[in-house]
Amino acid sequence: MKFAYFPGCAAGHGTSIEYDSSARVLAQRLGIELIELKEASCCGTPVESSHGLWLSLAVRNLALAERQKLDLVTVCSGCFVTFRKAIEEMEAYPDLNAKVNDILSTFSLEYKGKTKIRHLLDVVVNDFGLKALGKEVKTPLRGLKVAPYYGCWLLRPPEITKIDDHILDGLIDVLGAESIAYGDRSKCCGGPLLLADEKAALTLAKDRLTNAKFDGANCIVTACPLCHFMLDAQQHRIEKTYSVKIGLPVLHFTQLVGLALGIDPEHLKLSQNCVSTKRMLNTLNSAATKGNS
Amino acid sequence: MSDEKGGRMEEERASIAKLDPNFKYEISQQHGGEDIMRCFQCGTCSAVCPVWEVRGGDDSQRIIKMALLGMRDEVLHSDFIWLCVPCYTCTVRCPKGVSFGDIALALRNLAQEEGIIPKYVQAVIDTVKKFGWMNEFAVTLKTKGITGLVGQIPFGLQLYRRGRLKILARPIYNVEQVRKMFDAVERSGI
């Protein structure tokens, strides 16, 4: 399992640095080789309203990976769906394909359609495999009631993303935690709306959080840095603005898997999550002690 | 159109003289707009739209109706086309295979061709061109200015303390290539 690694802007440039760190640690542990793409740029999602720019940015990154004869793997659902859409478009429209490759040729780059895009969650669950993962679990996550939060772009449009819509539920089971029936599982977190309408965005995030709590979760797992940002980094602000108490730790799936595999929480950068994971870790420790006695 | 709070204002009746019957064909020529004329106004898209759920005001069903009627100016100047995530919830529910998410993106492209572009969208484009990546700090500074940034300080601090906020961020390696590509795309008209 060797891929060109595309963390994206949030994970790769600081705001979700803990996602990137835990992804690298997990990948190393599972024998998934991640190769840096030194010249990788933004995937294009933020400028999707300018179609030509969006497509060129996406395809240039694909071309960089293709030059190394590797598929691309990302931890961001936004990047993931953009690359999938761009690949489809390059396949479906030969004229557009020629124009984009014409521009890329001035940089000695070309995208022939060989490089594909994978989401790391999919690679872990399907390439490494759930059965194999189960065998690697050292500290089953007993005591955790995890709301599997898929967000929008991991699952929709389904003919583009082609991700099993119970992938997180299955993963949580294998890790020994309880996966709760979370009604808002793939309802929007509001992230992409932050700049356009901050109030609407925060209301969406608030609803995702309060509903997770209502559905019985004591933590949430995400597969997208923007979803994580809205539920974790914005949680205190949401509590203040809406006068609600939430107190739900939000983990990147890489952190959740890492914990179950017995990786030190510090290596998974749990202390960089905004909502404290201390109580959650204590729950895990006491559940583990009970299990051993 | 929606007012600041997202409610619908009193509007003048659409005048046939101002309608552009070609608009729906124009939209169907855009990437993502191909299926707009299949819409039969059932309203399912609006019913499942998370943005409309929290904002009220304009919705996808209405925007499509206006587009099909030929209200080109109103549609291209609407706020709603910039508020679509796109989350594609409507897309998977539409009984006719219409994707408002993609139509919204197509409408944004058309709007930009007329020079209609929200400030923050221009800020994002400029930032990605300058840095090669989406530097949120720079975008917030460009959009809200220093005074606007002050309000974000408590929020920013919790990120900064955790090593998650880069204030003096740098462009990507070989950002020149990305900048040249931006120019080339503009020249090519794709």
Side-chain angles (χ1 to χ4, degrees):
Chain A
M1 293 173 288
K2 186 177 175 185
F3 297 91
Y5 179 48
F6 192 87
C9 296
H13 285 273
T15 330
S16 292
I17 204 172
E18 76 290 351
Y19 192 14
D20 176 61
S21 305
S22 55
R24 289 170 189 272
V25 163
L26 179 66
Q28 191 183 45
R29 176 73 175 70
L30 298 180
I32 300 168
E33 206 182 333
L34 301 177
I35 308 295
E36 294 293 335
L37 270 185
K38 201 174 178 191
E39 298 176 67
S41 73
C42 176
C43 69
T45 304
V47 301
E48 200 167 3
S49 62
S50 304
H51 194 82
L53 271 182
W54 168 82
L55 187 62
S56 307
L57 280 166
V59 179
R60 177 179 168 274
N61 287 307
L62 288 165
L64 287 171
E66 196 166 277
R67 189 163 67 179
Q68 308 217 31
K69 298 195 169 70
L70 294 170
D71 275 341
L72 214 47
V73 72
T74 186
V75 291
C76 172
S77 300
C79 302
F80 176 63
V81 79
T82 265
F83 283 125
R84 279 280 163 97
K85 287 197 279 190
I87 290 170
E88 289 250 335
E89 217 166 291
M90 290 293 276
E91 266 174 49
Y93 299 98
D95 285 345
L96 190 56
N97 184 318
K99 286 187 184 153
V100 173
N101 271 314
D102 195 44
I103 292 174
L104 291 181
S105 66
T106 56
F107 313 119
S108 309
L109 286 171
E110 189 188 358
Y111 180 60
K112 292 196 183 112
K114 294 214 171 80
T115 286
K116 305 296 177 196
I117 178 71
R118 303 287 304 283
H119 194 295
L120 185 64
L121 174 63
D122 177 37
V123 172
V124 168
V125 167
N126 293 308
D127 292 26
F128 189 85
L130 273 189
K131 266 209 187 114
L133 197 63
K135 292 191 184 131
E136 301 289 322
V137 170
K138 305 252 172 349
T139 46
L141 305 176
R142 277 185 234 113
L144 286 199
K145 298 186 178 160
V146 191
Y149 185 54
Y150 293 78
C152 303
W153 291 334
L154 185 66
L155 302 181
R156 292 189 296 271
E159 66 275 11
I160 298 268
T161 63
K162 299 188 184 118
I163 299 280
D164 168 23
D165 67 4
H166 279 75
I167 192 172
L168 277 176
D169 297 72
L171 179 65
I172 294 166
D173 278 340
V174 148
L175 302 179
E178 184 189 333
S179 149
I180 63 147
Y182 179 38
D184 282 5
R185 65 207 296 285
S186 69
K187 208 163 167 186
C188 191
C189 69
L193 220 53
L194 256 183
L195 289 171
D197 186 336
E198 191 178 78
K199 189 170 169 213
L202 290 176
T203 308
L204 284 171
K206 171 205 55 127
D207 287 343
R208 302 297 78 80
L209 288 165
T210 51
N211 289 339
K213 196 157 189 198
F214 183 83
D215 287 342
N218 59 19
C219 85
I220 302 175
V221 71
T222 58
C224 172
L226 196 47
C227 291
H228 187 269
F229 184 78
M230 291 305 286
L231 302 185
D232 175 64
Q234 303 274 21
Q235 200 176 120
H236 291 306
R237 188 199 238 178
I238 287 169
E239 285 180 326
K240 260 202 194 146
T241 311
Y242 295 93
S243 307
V244 284
K245 263 210 185 117
I246 297 161
L248 281 176
V250 188
L251 265 64
H252 301 286
F253 82 90
T254 44
Q255 293 175 322
L256 194 76
V257 177
L259 276 180
L261 299 190
I263 299 175
D264 188 331
E266 261 324 291
H267 292 163
L268 299 168
K269 305 295 181 185
L270 286 189
S271 55
Q272 282 185 300
N273 291 25
C274 289
V275 176
S276 171
T277 50
K278 284 205 185 106
R279 220 183 325 141
M280 183 197 83
L281 289 171
N282 286 339
T283 309
L284 284 177
N285 285 335
S286 57
T289 327
K290 263 194 210 151
N292 289 337
S293 58
Chain B
M1 292 302 105
S2 31
D3 60 21
E4 268 169 24
K5 291 181 191 147
R8 289 190 192 162
M9 301 191 308
E10 286 283 320
E11 294 168 7
E12 27 174 300
R13 297 163 71 174
S15 157
I16 287 185
K18 290 191 205 163
L19 298 178
D20 176 359
N22 192 52
F23 189 41
K24 53 187 175 291
Y25 300 110
E26 191 184 359
I27 295 171
S28 25
Q29 305 260 319
Q30 297 283 314
H31 284 281
E34 297 90 344
D35 296 325
I36 189 171
M37 289 188 281
R38 307 179 83 198
C39 173
F40 64 174
Q41 291 286 293
C42 70
T44 300
C45 54
S46 302
V48 300
C49 176
V51 175
W52 178 75
E53 182 187 320
V54 299
R55 282 184 101 253
D58 263 337
D59 59 74
S60 40
Q61 177 192 24
R62 185 176 162 86
I63 295 287
I64 293 181
K65 183 65 176 179
M66 289 163 69
L68 295 176
L69 281 174
M71 297 169 71
R72 192 174 190 279
D73 271 348
E74 290 88 337
V75 170
L76 292 184
H77 282 90
S78 72
D79 292 334
F80 193 75
I81 64 174
W82 299 97
L83 292 168
C84 179
V85 175
C87 75
Y88 296 111
T89 309
C90 57
T91 307
V92 303
R93 295 291 187 199
C94 175
K96 298 284 272 171
V98 178
S99 172
F100 182 79
D102 290 324
I103 288 170
L105 288 170
L107 290 169
R108 289 178 201 177
N109 272 270
L110 284 174
Q112 281 187 176
E113 279 170 30
E114 314 264 313
I116 302 163
I117 180 167
K119 193 174 174 187
Y120 70 88
V121 176
Q122 188 62 58
V124 168
I125 293 172
D126 293 342
T127 300
V128 175
K129 185 175 185 181
K130 183 174 178 186
F131 289 89
W133 62 282
M134 167 61 172
N135 181 346
E136 289 146 32
F137 183 79
V139 172
T140 313
L141 186 60
K142 260 199 229 280
T143 321
K144 297 193 175 176
I146 304 249
T147 37
L149 218 56
V150 166
Q152 305 273 338
I153 286 182
F155 178 68
L157 263 175
Q158 68 157 352
L159 287 176
Y160 185 74
R161 280 198 207 111
R162 290 167 171 81
R164 290 167 62 176
L165 186 65
K166 270 189 197 159
I167 293 176
L168 292 172
R170 278 180 297 176
I172 59 164
Y173 177 81
N174 201 4
V175 67
E176 271 313 310
Q177 194 179 93
V178 172
R179 290 175 189 164
K180 281 189 192 142
M181 193 172 75
F182 266 66
D183 293 335
V185 168
E186 217 185 299
R187 282 194 304 268
S188 75
I190 54 167

